[in-house]
Amino acid sequence: MVNLSMMTKRRTMTVVVVLFLAFLTGHMMQTVLTDRAPVVSATLAPDAETVGGSLLAPKPLALPPDMTLMPTLDQPPVLPRRTEETQTDQLDEANADCVPKLLATTAPAAMITLVLRAPCHPNLLVQIKQGPIIASAYTDGDGRMTLKIPALETVSDIQITFDDVVLATELTIPEAENFQHIILNWTGPQLLRLNAYEFGAARNETGHVWSGAPKSPTRASRGSGGFLTRLVTEKGPSVEIYSLPAGQSQLRGVVRLVVEAAVTPATCGQIATAKALQPTAFRRLSVTDVEVALPDCDHQGKVVLLQNLLRDVTLAAR
Amino acid sequence: MFQKSFIMLLVLCWPLSLFAGPVVLTNADGSVTVEGELVSFDGEFFRVDTAFGPLTLDAGNLQCSGVGCPDPVDLIARSRVAGPAGMIHRLMPPLIEVFADREGFAFRSLFLSDSQIVWELREPATGQLVAVFEGAVQDDSDVAQGLAAGDIDIALSKTEQAAPVRQDVIALDAVVPLVPAENPRALVTQSQLSSLLSGRLGRWSQLDGPDLPVVVHVLDGARGPLARWYSGRMSQDAFRYDSADALADAVAADPAAVGLGLFSAMGNATPLVVGGTCGLAIPATRDSIRAEDYPLTQPLFLHRLGTRQPKIVRDFIAFVRSEEAQPVIATSGYVDQAIGRIGFERQGDRIANAVLAAGDDDEASEAVRDMVGALLNLDRLTLTFRFQDGSSDLDAQSASNVHRLADVINQGEFDGKRVHFIGFTDGVGPSDGNMRLSDRRARSVRRAVAARVDTAPVDMASEGFGEVLPMACDDTAWGRQVNRRVEVWID
């Protein structure tokens, strides 16, 4: 009896703490990340078109907003539906000791909200691993980090590592089955971009989903299209995930997927390496290794279009 | 001639650099010994240059000694594959991945550029590389040249080739007229389509559409299958594309567009159904393309020279042709060649048409009654035989169908059943002549299939019903071509 009432109390506290933390860290993230020098300055990411996969003269693209570099924090945090292995009862004491805490909750559109509190690890690069992909992000000056990542499986294992700390959690999100994810995963100071042109949309039109216009999970929940999750750092592993609701009757047609690799001072004349993951009829995620030779440094500021790396997605068979 | 082919053999030998040096090959009891320079080893056969000329020997019973012997651990099969972007990037990857799974190999796909991709197969336990397929995107003429020059081992192409190139039809596609989704017109006659493409119909309002000029978009190369039916010129103002995807995107975005694109790459455009003035129309669907009832079908070929490929490559090609691979091909956006069944009850339209066409003509009505009686309890297979224009020779897709049907019969799929070859003609000429002609064609197809069937307990029959069951209107060449056919029915 005692235990039960304590648990109820804890649950309530958790909710409150999470809401507060999510709000706070969300706010902090925006501030901190906007202040942080962008991974790539906008002048190095102009537009370009290719014919037959070769480079053509670039034309400048409008400056991507600073938001480009932020994880999606598009809506107020919602009540967690499920929490596991997070020792949330100690969250309020965490400021006092150095034990890092991880809280994982589900958010709409089969997203996972991760809240990390590591008071003794401020401004630290943290790796986030889920299934076959690894992303990274920084804790803020107080050792906090909040981000959202799509659940790739109905049962998702999430691992967070930094220094010699490993925090793991597992979430069951049945809704994950209703989404398909197209993933680009890479490491280091490369500038790779996933572009989804939904149902005939042209560049910069409403249906063009990319880091400059990532759209929101709400859009997917409404069934009106996909959204992009971007977890990118210059030093660690980075990931862009395009998530599209599958089996939504109002969505029909073809989504074209184009990857762009920018030629920057850091990447010119180098091999762009990445992994591209995409579902096939025979695998939940089929992996393709990418090793694309980028043009030399005379071509800085241009973008190489990879139009055949990802297969277009067709929704609702005719 | 011999010398030339031997030089070809040397050029094509795989992988040449690995093998150099003398070997002695001895059989199990030591009774036969062959000495020579090892030219190649494909995992199954040694090719040795001996004092008696080049010899190919089954490695199964042989011991190899000498510095030239291949280290089996280092043996990697290499195959260079070239073809159009869609076949390299959409068709091949799932086929190789599923093949690797089936053979128990670990699979890795390595993307190098929009025109280059490498697929690797490894022993899962040791990580030892077993086979490397190097894929390159090239257009049909380069592919044909590359194959002839020995720069390519497997050529994927939509262009038919003659011997000595060995060819298999591995998938199907079709040329389809496309309009944007907002175009209200769903059906045109063939002559209307011709007028649209040639520019004679300049405004959509002439077809009761919106008051917009007709803008023509054409895929280079799509005229191949179309040229058989449409000899008119294309509009001078037509936009031309070398990528079917780019064409579909342009058509989908242009309210005034009509385009000629590919079934495998319709994107967000909508296919326009082409009918005849008699009211019969055949939309492009997976079934109608497999049955070649849709007239603009385009077979896709896998070409190779007759030289020996490494064993694992031969296994892969056999897999691609197998029934097992057909569901994989179906998911790639291309049309597979799985043999499907269409029940008699699903062909009501066709039969109703036949009855209506027979009208009050006693002879025709009797023919329809005979046909319905014969086919009532049977299913039609999607596999159908059609002939080259003005000839009794089968076209490429149908020639490949002879092998497919014989393979399926040999595998026992139709054991204890009767396979009916049912011939039909177009409506040109007297009906008794057509009756005889359809009967003759059905018999010749039956004989061609029977010649490839071992001794399966399958009964084969043939019959002809002349022009009584048209699928398309006889008022155009493509309609008549669709109607001249041998169908396969089964109980």
Side-chain angles (χ1 to χ4, degrees), chain B residues 190-230:
Chain B
Q190 197 210 333
S191 67
Q192 284 169 339
L193 179 64
S194 300
S195 299
L196 284 169
L197 295 175
S198 67
R200 279 198 305 276
L201 266 177
R203 300 196 75 80
W204 284 103
S205 47
Q206 291 169 275
L207 287 176
D208 303 327
D211 189 25
L212 287 170
V214 174
V215 181
V216 182
H217 302 255
V218 186
L219 178 68
D220 283 337
R223 293 202 55 188
L226 187 76
R228 283 153 54 192
W229 324 103
Y230 175 70

Side-chain angles (χ1 to χ4, degrees), chain A residues 254 256 283 286 289 308 318, chain B residues 97 108-109 111 114 267-268:
Chain A
V254 171
R256 298 229 185 272
R283 290 243 192 301
S286 239
D289 291 329
N308 292 331
R318 280 173 220 270
Chain B
E97 186 164 11
R108 178 179 186 237
S109 163
F111 179 95
D114 269 349
N268 292 296

Side-chain angles (χ1 to χ4, degrees), chain B residues 387 392 423 433-447 462-464 486:
Chain B
F387 304 89
S392 55
N434 283 338
M435 206 68 111
R436 282 196 301 274
L437 181 62
S438 61
D439 191 55
R440 210 160 54 229
R441 283 189 179 147
R443 236 182 306 147
S444 79
V445 172
R446 187 199 67 197
R447 275 199 300 268
S462 63
E463 203 167 347
V486 174

Side-chain angles (χ1 to χ4, degrees), chain B residues 39-377:
Chain B
V39 175
S40 78
F41 175 59
D42 68 358
E44 196 177 12
F45 291 92
F46 287 111
R47 206 175 300 142
V48 190
D49 190 11
T50 71
F52 312 105
L55 290 177
T56 300
L57 299 158
D58 188 341
N61 323 307
L62 298 175
Q63 280 290 106
C64 184
S65 55
V67 293
C69 285
D71 182 348
V73 176
D74 292 332
L75 192 71
I76 303 166
R78 283 177 200 279
S79 187
R80 295 153 301 179
V81 187
M87 292 181 82
I88 292 293
H89 287 290
R90 288 214 310 272
L91 184 60
M92 287 298 281
L95 282 171
I96 299 186
E97 186 164 11
V98 171
F99 171 73
D101 268 8
R102 184 176 162 274
E103 302 285 310
F105 293 120
F107 171 77
R108 178 179 186 237
S109 163
L110 175 59
F111 179 95
L112 298 175
S113 75
D114 269 349
S115 56
Q116 275 181 296
I117 183 164
V118 175
W119 301 285
E120 296 175 348
L121 271 52
R122 290 169 190 274
E123 284 293 350
T126 59
Q128 174 62 44
L129 200 55
V130 177
V132 179
F133 293 85
E134 293 169 19
V137 175
Q138 288 179 5
D139 60 33
D140 271 16
S141 58
D142 290 345
V143 167
Q145 279 175 18
L147 187 68
D151 298 332
I152 293 170
D153 303 302
I154 294 178
L156 306 173
S157 163
K158 56 182 186 296
T159 311
E160 216 174 325
Q161 281 204 39
V165 172
R166 295 177 61 185
Q167 83 177 10
D168 288 296
V169 176
I170 57 164
L172 305 171
D173 204 346
V175 171
V176 282
L178 297 172
V179 289
E182 64 256 40
N183 188 318
R185 182 158 278 275
L187 190 116
V188 290
T189 65
Q190 197 210 333
S191 67
Q192 284 169 339
L193 179 64
S194 300
S195 299
L196 284 169
L197 295 175
S198 67
R200 279 198 305 276
L201 266 177
R203 300 196 75 80
W204 284 103
S205 47
Q206 291 169 275
L207 287 176
D208 303 327
D211 189 25
L212 287 170
V214 174
V215 181
V216 182
H217 302 255
V218 186
L219 178 68
D220 283 337
R223 293 202 55 188
L226 187 76
R228 283 153 54 192
W229 324 103
Y230 175 70
S231 50
R233 64 191 168 87
M234 289 285 171
S235 162
Q236 294 287 323
D237 305 325
F239 290 92
R240 297 182 173 277
Y241 301 84
D242 55 9
S243 144
D245 286 334
L247 176 128
D249 285 350
V251 169
D254 177 1
V258 61
L260 264 191
L262 293 178
F263 181 81
S264 65
M266 295 194 287
N268 292 296
T270 303
L272 201 52
V273 179
V274 183
T277 46
C278 71
L280 288 177
I282 304 156
T285 63
R286 182 169 166 243
D287 271 354
S288 74
I289 292 170
R290 281 193 299 179
E292 226 185 325
D293 294 345
Y294 180 75
L296 300 182
T297 300
Q298 184 167 70
L300 301 174
F301 301 99
L302 184 152
H303 290 135
R304 59 202 188 279
L305 283 172
T307 46
R308 269 202 168 276
Q309 307 268 355
K311 180 171 188 307
I312 191 164
V313 177
R314 293 201 302 275
D315 290 350
F316 172 67
I317 294 171
F319 167 72
V320 171
R321 296 172 56 199
S322 72
E323 285 295 303
E324 205 183 338
Q326 300 312 310
V328 184
I329 291 164
T331 64
S332 70
Y334 291 99
V335 176
D336 61 282
Q337 300 178 85
I339 300 175
R341 282 173 176 243
I342 311 169
F344 188 83
E345 69 283 357
R346 277 170 58 202
Q347 306 186 45
D349 287 358
R350 285 217 291 162
I351 308 302
N353 259 310
V355 173
L356 285 176
D360 293 336
D361 185 335
D362 285 346
E363 210 180 313
S365 299
E366 198 190 325
V368 172
R369 267 198 304 279
D370 285 353
M371 179 193 69
V372 170
L375 305 180
L376 189 56
N377 296 312

Side-chain angles (χ1 to χ4, degrees), chain A residues 121-140:
Chain A
H121 297 90
N123 305 314
L124 193 72
L125 189 68
V126 171
Q127 294 206 348
I128 305 116
K129 188 170 184 298
Q130 184 192 171
I133 63 164
I134 308 178
S136 62
Y138 285 95
T139 56
D140 65 14

